[in-house]
Amino acid sequence: MPVHELLALCAEAAGTAAPWLAVWESVRGEVSDRHLAEAAAAWEYGLLGDQLPWDSWDDEDESGLRGELSAWLVRHVPERLRAREGCETLLHRVRLIGLAGPDRWEDPHWPGHRY
């Protein structure tokens, strides 16, 4: 099972992703960073559309989880993925997750997603 799917399962069960994100933040290395890149790539489409990137069973918790996940990605992904080859586009998309409204959709790196 991909790490990002396991994190989604844990976050849904607990109503928060914070404990698992904190562990991921503390674990450094090639494997952890590879999983982080895979997660960011899997989640960017949903998060850019202001949606939780997995099906949530509790709509009331969705915006809280989405905000928690978005803020964590914007804070922690760039530092860890700048050194990885082939992550330039992903880094722009993560940066866009941190923007709102026209600042996001009018940015020259907007991927053109339609929701």
Side-chain angles (χ1 to χ4, degrees):
M1 170 177 263
V3 170
H4 61 276
E5 290 181 18
L6 182 58
L7 186 130
L9 178 70
C10 293
E12 283 291 316
T16 182
W20 296 278
L21 292 174
V23 169
W24 204 345
E25 183 179 333
S26 70
V27 177
R28 300 293 177 137
E30 171 60 29
V31 173
S32 178
D33 290 351
R34 185 181 73 242
H35 287 302
L36 185 58
E38 291 168 2
W43 292 337
E44 62 91 6
Y45 179 86
L47 293 173
L48 284 171
D50 292 324
Q51 302 165 357
L52 193 61
W54 60 76
D55 291 332
S56 177
W57 59 272
D58 187 352
D59 291 338
E60 291 179 23
D61 285 343
E62 183 175 330
S63 66
L65 280 171
R66 184 187 72 241
E68 183 178 31
L69 184 60
S70 295
W72 188 84
L73 283 173
V74 169
R75 274 193 324 266
H76 299 287
V77 166
E79 171 195 343
R80 293 183 59 179
L81 298 189
R82 276 193 188 99
R84 294 183 64 83
E85 287 187 37
C87 287
E88 295 81 19
T89 299
L90 181 57
L91 285 167
H92 281 297
R93 292 184 182 181
V94 169
R95 180 184 56 80
L96 291 171
I97 291 168
L99 302 176
D103 289 338
R104 181 185 291 172
W105 299 298
E106 293 173 3
D107 188 283
H109 295 284
W110 175 251
H113 293 330
R114 303 245 183 245
Y115 296 91

